[in-house]
Amino acid sequence: MDAASLLQALKTHFGFNSFRPYQEEIVSQVLARQDCLAILPTGSGKSLCYQLPALLSEGIAVVVSPLIALMQDQVQSLQKLDIPAVSLNSSMTGTERYETFQQLDQQKLLYLSPELLLTDAMQARLRSLKVSFFVIDEVHCISEWGHSFRPEYRQLKCLKAQFPSVPILGVTATATQKVATDILQQLQMRETNVIKGSFDRPNLMIQVKDRNGTRDQVMAFLKDHPGHTGIIYASTRKGVDQMAKYLQTQQIRVAAYHAGLSDQVRAQAFQQFLCDDIQVMVATVAFGMGVHKPDIRFVIHLNMPQNMEQYYQEIGRAGRDGLAATCMMIFNYQDVIIQKHLIEKSGDPLVQAEQRRKTDQLSAFCQSVTCRRKSLLHYFGETYSQEGCKACDNCLDEIEDVDGTIIAQKVLSCVYRMKQKFGVSLVCQVLAGAKTAKIRQFNLDQLSTYGILKEVPRHDIRFYIFALINQGFLYLTDGEYPILRLTQLARGVLSFDTKVRFRKRSVAKVAPKQLVSDGPYDEGLYQKLVALRRDIAQKERVPAYMIFHNKALIEIARHFPRDSVSLLNVNGMGQRKVGRYGDQIIDCVTAYSPV
């Protein structure tokens, strides 16, 4: 199919005026019946890369998906566009599954879990149909070197043996080169074309804040982002429950989500979030893949994630519509210690070594004062050529480069005089001259270094200690209770042979407001359209984004279309949507600005 025909099909079925980067290339590969691994960032339109060719191919496309919520969301969105799509999953009744199973020859897309796909009954049914191609969504789950390995995904390597003539499309937002190589080997993908887009998400503001009163930091953020919808990630169920209860006391519309809650409670919270009945979802990583809500305006991490891949995927849930969104992590080095302690409990030494390396990389990212976007992209093998992104705290805040040799000598001397037997917290207390029972118990107040930094804020003392760890003058032992110890490099500092410099955040600026669109639009009309969309969504009992995306409403509020022809020119408005909702939109525009 030529480019013009593809573009026409895109507009007819999905309402978009043009392809996003790499979409057309992937669609063409699939239509040419070639295997393909597509690595594109969240929000780049990976779903369309298989939904459009499914419509243009003979037979049914089979989509392997890891979560029921993801299947249901996509099927519902496709059915709103009158596209024949179904899912088979454990939430359906036996009658529903049987009827769907019998009617597969009438569908263009079928969503399945990997376990169901590989049953004898399903494979026999698929052989009775014409399968156009297989899609492995979230394909990084197949790799044991990925951040969310799922053993059941590993079984998909039998697809080539069972269906040798059927091409495979694997799609993911997070795959390092090592993970990508493993994916290709596991799926035995032939004639493989790896299409890798940029991992850069320029609409995301990236911030890492030192932990200094988590609740206050979260509330300050929410006050700066009134009415915005977002996700707050905590590392434990207890942390989720505590934060959710606290936000409820602050009159925030909030729900909790973690594996300790019943399926019914989680499903209700998920639906409330999709339909904007709540503003904030506080969750563990159980609230992960399948969150396709495009207008999430922020993601907050209360703890450091396990690795860079997990962090990137979770912040990727913000700003899927391409509009401005903020990602803030509240960091404390204690998170690193906890992560390493958990790693020690895993059995495989090779896996442990890989996990430790990834933890150290994310820890370095959190404590860096260089451009965060540059560091993030470098991790995924991409070079960020600009001097600074102007969309992260390190590029916007003022960073001071200071001579820290004297402070370093004081810290290192204190660790030495404490006989290298204690952790960060107690070293901080001694340097600050704290009067605690533990200090008296070990007579640490008798040391010459006791109180030697008492004029320095405790928060800054911790910063200096971890800066010395990062520069290789100190290290923390492994285990449940890490101990601070000197390295060989510390001798040069103590003997005045080595200078130490600290790069310290001197002024934290408020991030500038980013434009939410490509140009000016009428805010009043936009709000009228948002209200209209909400009314339609409530009547049809679907999330608002399934009616129109924010970008389409912004474009309408910019151009004021007053007839169906003009409305069709809006990106995201196809013939079906104009036919179904066009009169209401035109009436809204006309009433707001009568001719």
Side-chain angles (χ1 to χ4, degrees), residues 32 45 56 73 79 87 119 150 153 189 209 244 256 283 291 304 346 358 398 469 480 485-486 581 587 591:
L56 302 177
D73 181 78
Q79 290 176 347
S87 69
T119 61
R150 299 191 177 205
Y153 255 60
M189 296 172 75
K209 305 293 184 184
V291 185
M304 188 187 82
S346 62
K358 290 188 174 187
E398 292 182 10
I469 292 173
E480 188 173 358
R485 289 186 177 161
L486 305 177
Y581 310 115
D587 288 346

Side-chain angles (χ1 to χ4, degrees), residues 41 47 58 156 190 243 306 508 525 535:
S47 299
E58 183 183 355
L156 296 173
R190 55 179 172 76
M243 179 55 69
Q306 293 180 344
L525 176 56
D535 291 343

Side-chain angles (χ1 to χ4, degrees), residues 201 203-207 214 217-234 243 247 252-255 273 276 278-283 287 291 293-302 311-330 513-514 550:
R201 296 284 306 283
N203 62 313
L204 300 186
M205 171 68 68
I206 302 173
Q207 303 173 342
T214 301
Q217 288 175 288
V218 169
M219 280 308 302
F221 181 94
L222 295 179
K223 288 177 181 177
D224 287 340
H225 299 79
H228 287 186
T229 299
I231 304 171
I232 299 177
Y233 282 111
M243 179 55 69
L247 293 179
I252 302 295
R253 292 180 293 115
V254 61
F273 185 68
D276 298 320
I278 60 172
Q279 177 190 352
V280 178
M281 181 72 85
V282 186
F287 189 68
V291 185
K293 183 175 170 62
D295 56 350
I296 295 172
R297 299 269 68 87
F298 66 84
V299 170
I300 298 175
H301 283 90
L302 303 183
Y311 172 68
Y312 180 80
Q313 185 168 62
E314 288 171 358
I315 66 172
R317 288 164 194 146
R320 291 171 56 91
D321 54 9
L323 305 180
T326 303
C327 307
M328 181 177 77
M329 187 198 307
I330 299 175
K513 297 290 184 182
Q514 290 179 285
N550 288 342

Side-chain angles (χ1 to χ4, degrees), residues 535-548:
D535 291 343
I536 294 172
Q538 288 175 349
K539 289 177 183 177
E540 298 189 7
R541 297 182 179 180
V542 297
Y545 65 82
M546 289 188 183
I547 306 300
F548 309 114

Side-chain angles (χ1 to χ4, degrees), residues 250-464:
Q250 303 301 306
Q251 284 71 56
I252 302 295
R253 292 180 293 115
V254 61
Y257 192 108
H258 58 67
L261 301 171
S262 68
D263 291 347
Q264 182 179 359
V265 170
R266 289 203 306 270
Q268 181 181 10
F270 186 79
Q271 193 63 27
Q272 288 176 322
F273 185 68
L274 292 183
C275 295
D276 298 320
D277 294 330
I278 60 172
Q279 177 190 352
V280 178
M281 181 72 85
V282 186
T284 61
V285 293
F287 189 68
M289 290 176 290
V291 185
H292 282 189
K293 183 175 170 62
D295 56 350
I296 295 172
R297 299 269 68 87
F298 66 84
V299 170
I300 298 175
H301 283 90
L302 303 183
N303 313 95
M304 188 187 82
Q306 293 180 344
N307 49 58
M308 198 77 89
E309 292 101 319
Q310 181 186 333
Y311 172 68
Y312 180 80
Q313 185 168 62
E314 288 171 358
I315 66 172
R317 288 164 194 146
R320 291 171 56 91
D321 54 9
L323 305 180
T326 303
C327 307
M328 181 177 77
M329 187 198 307
I330 299 175
F331 173 76
N332 186 291
Y333 198 82
Q334 187 67 27
D335 296 339
V336 181
I337 295 172
I338 292 172
Q339 292 286 4
K340 289 190 173 182
H341 177 59
L342 293 174
I343 289 170
E344 295 306 314
K345 292 183 177 181
S346 62
D348 190 329
L350 287 176
V351 173
Q352 284 182 343
E354 181 74 0
Q355 290 175 335
R356 280 195 295 268
R357 182 182 66 82
K358 290 188 174 187
T359 297
D360 288 338
Q361 286 173 315
L362 184 52
S363 172
F365 168 83
C366 293
Q367 297 173 81
S368 169
V369 289
T370 60
C371 175
R372 298 201 191 277
R373 181 164 272 99
K374 187 173 185 177
S375 300
L376 188 60
L377 296 180
H378 176 73
Y379 178 85
F380 289 103
E382 183 175 344
T383 300
Y384 189 71
S385 57
Q386 298 182 35
E387 184 67 25
C389 68
K390 302 298 185 286
C392 76
D393 52 353
N394 284 345
C395 285
L396 292 169
D397 294 350
E398 292 182 10
I399 306 296
E400 184 180 4
D401 191 330
V402 299
D403 185 343
T405 304
I406 300 300
I407 289 177
Q409 289 173 335
K410 291 179 178 180
V411 172
L412 297 175
S413 294
C414 188
V415 172
Y416 177 78
R417 294 185 184 282
M418 291 174 71
K419 302 186 184 302
Q420 304 180 75
K421 291 183 177 180
F422 300 97
V424 173
S425 180
L426 199 58
V427 171
C428 281
Q429 292 175 24
V430 171
L431 286 165
K435 298 177 181 180
T436 66
K438 198 166 187 178
I439 285 178
R440 290 193 297 271
Q441 176 187 351
F442 292 103
N443 296 317
L444 298 176
D445 52 353
Q446 303 303 310
L447 298 177
S448 60
T449 52
Y450 176 75
I452 200 171
L453 290 179
K454 62 183 178 181
E455 304 301 325
V456 178
R458 190 80 60 88
H459 183 268
D460 285 355
I461 296 175
R462 290 183 66 86
F463 166 81
Y464 294 131

Side-chain angles (χ1 to χ4, degrees), residues 9-76:
L10 176 69
K11 183 64 177 177
T12 299
H13 293 291
F14 296 96
F16 298 122
N17 296 339
S18 60
F19 286 101
R20 296 182 188 178
Y22 305 101
Q23 282 183 328
E24 186 174 3
E25 186 178 354
I26 296 168
V27 169
S28 297
Q29 298 278 17
V30 175
L31 289 174
R33 298 189 60 77
Q34 296 184 22
D35 292 339
C36 181
L37 173 59
I39 306 171
L40 299 179
T42 302
S44 58
K46 292 186 292 297
S47 299
L48 185 137
C49 294
Y50 54 82
Q51 290 170 352
L52 181 58
L55 291 173
L56 302 177
S57 300
E58 183 183 355
I60 184 171
V62 179
V63 184
V64 180
S65 180
L67 290 177
I68 293 174
L70 186 152
M71 302 181 202
Q72 292 173 331
D73 181 78
Q74 293 217 7
V75 167
Q76 193 175 26

